[in-house]
Amino acid sequence: VHISPMLDADGRMQGFVGMARDISSRRQAETEQRRLEEQLRQSQKMEIIGHLAGGIAHDFNNLLTPILGYADMAASQVPAGLPLANDIRAIQETAERAARLTRQLLAFSLKQVLHMNTVQLNREVTDFIKMLHSFIGEHIVVRTELAPDLGCIKADLSQIQQVLMNLAVNARDAMPRGGSLTFATANVQVNDVMIKKHPSLKPGLQVRLTVTDTGTGIAPEILSHIFEPFFTTKERGKGTGLGLSMVYGIITQHQGAIAVESEPDKGAAFHIYFPLVEALPSVVEPTLIPETKNNGHETILVVEDESMVRKLTVEFLSGQGYTVVEAADPLQALEIVRTYTGSFDLLLTDIIMPGMNGKELYQQLVKERPELKVLYMSGYSEDVIAHQGVLEPGTELLAKPFALKALLAKVRSVLDRFVAGAVKA
């Protein structure tokens, strides 16, 4: 409100003029603008960190592959019980721990390979709770509020279990003196009001999983950082800071969204949304790695630009009876195939390489060698063979770092299972 006097020629007040302007709508618009700008900054920050994390994990997996591989080869040649065998086992265990960390980084950076099935979330939550008491403690009461008519979702079952485990462990750590942990599910219709509050949500019918604890809660100044890799409020040595970042990445890669509500001393609630699908739950068979003897006789072309990974792969497969020809890059591989007088049974190739990726290389080679089968290997799954990390049917991928036993089993499986030309590029 602005008020001004009305004066005559002699300066005497004859009245006043009052002007009032409603600025509430302007302030609301400014507040909304600031909120949207902050959401954009947060989204851009998470994307940048994700690219960085994915690149680090990819390069680190290339280093871990020969460490694990040569440790496996050394372990097979040293009798158990000797001090050297114990030292080798320590190397293997440390490298495996590092591999788990890289998998968490890949989850955050949306670079994992997902094996999707139709999942009934109530069933998975119920099965998970059966083993929950073994590590969460008797001082925490676990409750469920599961919607009986809950719809199905498309998900990688192992990744959903990782989400449940990480949220449960965080809740346990937030309730050192006890409390309650609740798992709730519901079918929800995401509307504009919800999207305005949580922009990562998508409109339509969704399946919501809510994990609520009565713990210490999360301070407002910390809330915007909890999904960042290596951010942790735990004591040194008590956590890696990758648990919630992995949860964030898994949910995002599933085309879902996650929202958090929390106040200090009032607990926290994590709301996770998945797109609902109209389908019956899949029957997921456990994956077993069969015992494979060194009876290889086929010819394999190994294309890998990382010299240590290539050397390990060639050395190991040659020792298993295969004839192995190696190439350091796609151009060298093309030249070898054009001049090689014998036949190739399998192309074992890295995905990301200078000049040409593994899929493009296979598409070139199969024109000249129609019988050629392919097995890809990579530190992470790029869109060259996968759409947002979900493998196309028929594509075979060996994720780095890999155990030599897994490499041997995968090679044998591809050679035995597929007839000529059946592998989908």
Side-chain angles (χ1 to χ4, degrees):
V1 177
H2 182 72
I3 301 175
S4 301
M6 294 176 61
L7 306 177
D8 61 15
D10 297 324
R12 291 174 297 197
M13 190 171 73
Q14 301 298 310
F16 64 88
V17 175
M19 296 179 62
R21 183 175 56 172
D22 183 1
I23 63 170
S24 60
S25 59
R26 178 183 174 187
R27 286 182 175 173
Q28 289 172 356
E30 290 175 346
T31 301
E32 177 68 9
Q33 178 71 17
R34 284 194 295 271
R35 185 182 68 83
L36 291 174
E37 288 174 353
E38 179 58 32
Q39 288 173 347
L40 178 61
R41 281 194 294 270
Q42 182 71 7
S43 174
Q44 291 173 332
K45 178 177 68 175
M46 297 295 276
E47 183 178 2
I48 291 169
I49 296 175
H51 283 304
L52 177 62
I56 291 172
H58 172 263
D59 291 344
F60 201 54
N61 277 337
N62 275 330
L63 296 174
L64 284 173
T65 298
I67 293 174
L68 279 168
Y70 283 114
D72 287 347
M73 292 175 67
S76 67
Q77 299 172 26
V78 177
L82 293 181
L84 182 57
N86 295 332
D87 294 342
I88 294 171
R89 184 57 198 155
I91 294 172
Q92 290 174 308
E93 291 174 352
T94 304
E96 286 163 1
R97 285 178 57 195
R100 286 195 293 271
L101 288 178
T102 61
R103 283 194 292 271
Q104 290 176 312
L105 285 174
L106 289 174
F108 172 75
S109 61
L110 318 185
K111 299 297 185 182
Q112 289 193 116
V113 176
L114 300 182
H115 302 279
M116 305 293 273
N117 292 282
T118 305
V119 174
Q120 219 294 333
L121 203 52
N122 281 354
R123 182 187 305 169
E124 305 312 323
V125 170
T126 302
D127 290 344
F128 174 74
I129 289 175
K130 291 177 183 177
M131 49 79 65
L132 189 58
H133 293 288
S134 62
F135 72 89
I136 204 170
E138 297 295 331
H139 63 301
I140 295 176
V141 178
V142 180
R143 299 187 175 95
T144 59
E145 299 173 5
L146 306 180
D149 60 342
L150 192 70
C152 292
I153 64 173
K154 278 285 187 183
D156 184 318
L157 186 54
S158 65
Q159 300 302 309
I160 297 303
Q161 292 168 347
Q162 283 291 326
V163 168
L164 293 170
M165 179 66 73
N166 277 281
L167 292 179
V169 168
N170 275 5
R172 178 199 65 187
D173 294 345
M175 298 183 288
R177 298 181 181 178
S180 65
L181 175 61
T182 303
F183 295 86
T185 59
N187 298 316
V188 296
Q189 183 72 38
V190 176
N191 54 33
D192 292 341
V193 175
M194 298 171 66
I195 293 174
K196 187 175 182 180
K197 186 176 181 181
H198 304 294
S200 58
L201 290 176
K202 295 179 177 63
L205 197 57
Q206 307 258 322
V207 172
R208 183 179 66 198
L209 167 67
T210 300
V211 181
T212 308
D213 66 65
T214 58
T216 54
I218 306 170
E221 64 271 16
I222 292 175
L223 204 57
S224 63
H225 299 285
I226 60 173
F227 295 122
E228 297 173 10
F230 304 112
F231 179 85
T232 180
T233 58
K234 297 178 181 179
E235 299 176 20
R236 185 178 179 85
K238 295 293 185 180
T240 62
L242 286 173
L244 285 179
S245 65
M246 182 169 66
V247 169
Y248 172 88
I250 291 172
I251 300 306
T252 304
Q253 200 171 9
H254 278 76
Q255 308 304 304
I258 183 168
V260 188
E261 296 177 342
S262 182
E263 292 183 34
D265 302 320
K266 293 186 179 180
F270 288 82
H271 305 286
I272 300 171
Y273 298 83
F274 298 97
L276 184 144
V277 297
E278 299 292 339
L280 295 175
S282 306
V283 177
V284 182
E285 298 293 338
T287 301
L288 300 176
I289 299 177
E291 291 293 334
T292 307
K293 298 179 180 180
N294 56 338
N295 57 352
H297 59 275
E298 294 90 346
T299 301
I300 301 174
L301 174 61
V302 174
V303 186
E304 168 63 66
D305 60 320
E306 288 288 336
S307 59
M308 289 299 294
V309 177
R310 186 175 68 254
K311 181 175 180 292
L312 167 71
T313 304
V314 170
E315 184 178 340
F316 177 71
L317 291 177
S318 298
Q320 302 301 313
Y322 294 100
T323 299
V324 184
V325 180
E326 62 179 293
D329 56 61
L331 293 179
Q332 186 181 8
L334 289 170
E335 184 62 29
I336 288 173
V337 170
R338 290 182 184 126
T339 58
Y340 192 77
T341 57
S343 63
F344 285 106
D345 299 287
L346 176 68
L347 170 66
L348 175 59
T349 179
D350 191 24
I351 297 172
I352 308 302
M353 294 179 290
M356 183 185 299
N357 64 55
K359 183 178 181 180
E360 293 167 339
L361 172 63
Y362 176 66
Q363 290 171 337
Q364 290 283 331
L365 294 180
V366 80
K367 294 176 183 177
E368 301 181 28
R369 307 284 181 127
E371 76 287 352
L372 188 64
K373 306 171 183 70
V374 63
L375 171 59
Y376 297 106
M377 53 184 175
S378 183
Y380 61 84
S381 172
E382 277 287 330
D383 286 343
V384 291
I385 64 161
H387 176 62
Q388 296 180 343
V390 183
L391 283 180
E392 298 173 358
T395 303
E396 290 290 342
L397 175 72
L398 182 65
K400 300 175 185 177
F402 48 77
L404 295 181
K405 181 179 178 181
L407 168 63
L408 187 59
K410 197 73 169 179
V411 166
R412 193 68 259 161
S413 173
V414 172
L415 287 169
D416 290 343
R417 191 187 319 156
F418 295 106
V419 296
V423 175
K424 183 177 179 180

